Structure formats: structure tokens, C-alpha cells
Amino acid sequence: MIWFLIRRLVGIAATLLVICALTFAVFYLFPADPAAQFCGKDCSTERIEMVRQQLGLNDPLIVQFGRYLVGIFAGQTLGSGPYAIQCEFPCFGYSFQSAQPVWDLMMDRFPVSASLALGAAVCWLALGISAGVVSALKRNTWIDRTVMVATIGIAALPVYFTAMILLYVVVSVLGLMPLPRYIAFGEDPVGWLRNLILPWITLALLSAALYARMTRNSVIETMAEPFVRTARAKGLKERRVVGRHGLRPALTPVATMLGLDLGGLLAGALITEQLFSLPGVGKLFADSLNKADQPVIMGVTLLASFFIVTSNLVVDLMYAWIDPRARLS
């Protein structure tokens, strides 16, 4: 297990390094001049050249990339002379638009995205797994057919369509919920919950439909395995056979998909945050794209990559607990 973990950590480090290099090369080889963006619209050519010199943009690309990597782990000094700025660890640079540290911008928005992602994940896991298990145990009955037809219909609904329908019906027509806005959990737990219910439902419906179909197929396949028939032959109750011997191994593909989905959501559900005006990492990324704010785009990309590869590692470590067969291998 220790060597497996070491190998995976090395792989994660290599993956993040490649992503960082590709992202850095893409944005710093764009026609847009970072010095001009940092300086602003009214800067003279001389001033832009001065900024380029202070930021080290005249250095070779490999030198700039090395300085960027060192800054992430040890901080760095941006600029030189009286205008030098000390960027503390972890340094992802400063936003060209707000002149604020990229790390601080992301961490200010992270609680919003984390609340949205984790709440939606709980919703779609509860709905999807429950529907999938019921459908599998009632295979080829009207319950099974109803659940499968419903999942097809829900999976066909785009996120933005679901969000607009919920806003119009629940907020405008019925007035059951307030127009969503983010309230910190520490300030008002009830307000935090009420304002995130609609975004959670919007994100959870599509994933719940996909998880229900996946769970159904996996449970049907697992329940036909010899070890399940052996458990029944021992006289165990059907609830114990399904819950302990059938459901846990069937959740392996669900856990794999959850690792990918949750890692991506933690980096920011861009469409949902835009539609509900939630100030999360996804909205920060969208605003930065519109303004070509390269340091922020790079920082969010690396943050998203980190959560995706880390969540996959966590899923791999969970396999031994979920499926005893993986523990034996």
C-alpha cells in the first residue's frame, strides 16, 4: 500500500507539472501582451516595456516557467527596485485586473464552490443510488421502467434550462424560495441552506439520472455473481445479501465517476454559478476569461487539476473498503 501510494503521488506530481507547463506555454504564447494587460489601456510604449522588464517577461520562457514554479512552493519577488512586490507562498501571481493575489482571489471564492459541489454531490448520490438500487431489485417491472424513462428525460435537460425553470416556477411564481445568493454557513446556517437548495437541485438532477442508470446496471451484474448466490445459500436475509454482499461491490464504478465529477465541481460549476450569480471559483474563471486575466486563468486551471487528480487518488484508496476483491488483489 505504501509503495502504491508513493507511485501515485509521483504520478500526481508529474501530471500537475505537465498541466502547469502546458497552461503556462499556452497563455504566454498568446498574441495578447501580459505587460500591456498588467499596465492598462492608457500606458505608453515605454511604460509597457518597463513593466515587461520588471515582470521578467523578456527572459526565456523556460526561465519564466521555472520562476513561476518556484513561486508556487516558495513565494517570489515580482518586479525589481522600489516597485518590487513580495508574493508570499503559495504565489500564483497577481491578477491583471484587480492587482490582488491570485491565491487570495481563489480562496475567497472557494467556500462557495465547495458548498455547491458537496451539497449537490450528496443530493445526486442519495437520489441516484436509491433509484438505481430500487430499479435493479424490481427489474423488468413497471417501477423499473418508470425509473429508467424518468432518468432518460432528466438526462436530456440542459443545466441552464433546469435552472431557468426552477427560478421561474419556485422563485417568481410560487415564491417558495428566495432568489439565490450566497450566505456563509457561519453567518446564517438556515439562510445558507435555503439559498443553495435550487443550485443543488440544478446540479444534482442530471448527475442523479446518470448515477441511477449506472447503479442499476452494476447492481444487476453484481447480484448475479457466485459470491451473492453463496450468501443466499447460507440463509442470510435478503436485506443483508443486498446491502453487504451486493451493493458495496456494485458501488466501485459509481465511486470512480464520483471522483471525477466531484473533482471538477470543486473547481467551480461555471454554468450554475453564472445562472444563480454565486461568487464561486467557476464565476471567477468565467470573468477572467472575458477579461483575458492570464494569472487567474492559470491559477484556477491548476486548482481544478489538483482536485481532479487528488479525488482520483482518494477513490483508488477507497476501493479496498468498497470492494473486498480489490483488497485481495
Side-chain angles (χ1 to χ4, degrees):
M1 175 63 74
I2 295 178
W3 284 111
F4 167 78
L5 184 60
I6 292 174
R7 289 197 302 270
R8 288 305 307 270
L9 290 176
V10 171
I12 287 176
T15 301
L16 291 176
L17 180 62
V18 171
I19 293 173
C20 185
L22 291 175
T23 307
F24 189 90
V26 166
F27 286 108
Y28 277 84
L29 291 177
F30 269 0
D33 186 356
Q37 291 178 291
F38 187 85
C39 189
K41 295 181 180 180
D42 299 328
C43 278
S44 62
T45 305
E46 293 78 9
R47 176 59 181 162
I48 292 176
E49 182 59 33
M50 186 183 301
V51 171
R52 185 179 290 110
Q53 185 67 33
Q54 289 178 341
L55 296 180
L57 298 175
N58 292 329
D59 296 334
L61 190 63
I62 187 66
V63 175
Q64 297 183 48
F65 178 62
R67 190 162 51 232
Y68 184 78
L69 283 181
V70 171
I72 293 176
F73 297 101
Q76 63 175 312
T77 301
L78 301 175
S80 59
Y83 301 102
I85 300 174
Q86 181 62 35
C87 185
E88 301 295 338
F89 157 84
C91 178
F92 288 86
Y94 280 75
S95 167
F96 289 160
Q97 301 298 322
S98 64
Q100 296 181 13
V102 173
W103 177 256
D104 292 347
L105 287 174
M106 293 191 298
M107 290 302 100
D108 287 343
R109 307 290 189 98
F110 183 74
V112 182
S113 295
S115 299
L116 181 62
L118 296 177
V122 171
C123 292
W124 83 54
L125 282 176
L127 293 173
I129 293 178
S130 300
V133 171
V134 170
S135 183
L137 297 180
K138 301 295 182 180
R139 185 182 180 185
N140 295 328
T141 65
W142 67 270
I143 297 177
D144 180 26
R145 289 190 288 270
T146 301
V147 171
M148 289 300 99
V149 170
T151 58
I152 293 174
I154 293 173
L157 296 177
V159 172
Y160 62 85
F161 178 79
T162 304
M164 290 188 294
I165 292 298
L166 289 175
L167 284 173
Y168 177 72
V169 175
V170 178
V171 177
S172 300
V173 177
L174 301 178
L176 297 178
M177 294 286 177
L179 187 66
R181 63 185 182 88
Y182 183 73
I183 299 176
F185 181 82
E187 296 179 6
D188 183 5
V190 176
W192 173 84
L193 178 64
R194 282 174 55 84
N195 282 275
L196 285 175
I197 287 178
L198 293 184
W200 285 344
I201 294 175
T202 300
L203 273 180
L205 280 179
L206 175 60
S207 295
L210 300 177
Y211 277 64
R213 299 182 66 84
M214 179 183 295
T215 303
R216 175 187 181 273
N217 296 334
S218 186
V219 169
I220 289 175
E221 180 180 350
T222 304
M223 294 300 289
E225 293 284 347
F227 63 85
V228 175
R229 293 197 297 268
T230 302
R232 283 181 172 144
K234 290 180 178 179
L236 297 178
K237 294 182 179 180
E238 186 65 16
R239 179 181 298 178
R240 184 175 177 82
V241 172
V242 174
R244 183 174 180 81
H245 298 279
L247 183 58
R248 282 180 59 179
L251 290 180
T252 301
V254 175
T256 303
M257 191 171 180
L258 176 64
L260 292 172
D261 290 342
L262 190 57
L265 279 177
L266 281 172
L270 193 151
I271 297 177
T272 305
E273 291 181 1
Q274 286 281 78
L275 291 171
F276 290 99
S277 298
L278 298 175
V281 178
K283 193 171 188 307
L284 174 66
F285 185 75
D287 294 341
S288 300
L289 280 177
N290 293 332
K291 299 174 182 177
D293 198 342
Q294 296 173 1
V296 178
I297 297 173
M298 290 178 58
V300 175
T301 302
L302 288 177
L303 182 68
S305 304
F306 172 79
F307 277 112
I308 290 174
V309 297
T310 303
S311 60
N312 276 273
L313 173 61
V314 173
V315 168
D316 287 346
L317 295 177
M318 287 175 57
Y319 279 167
W321 176 78
I322 295 175
D323 192 346
R325 294 171 296 180
R327 191 181 311 152
L328 291 175
S329 63

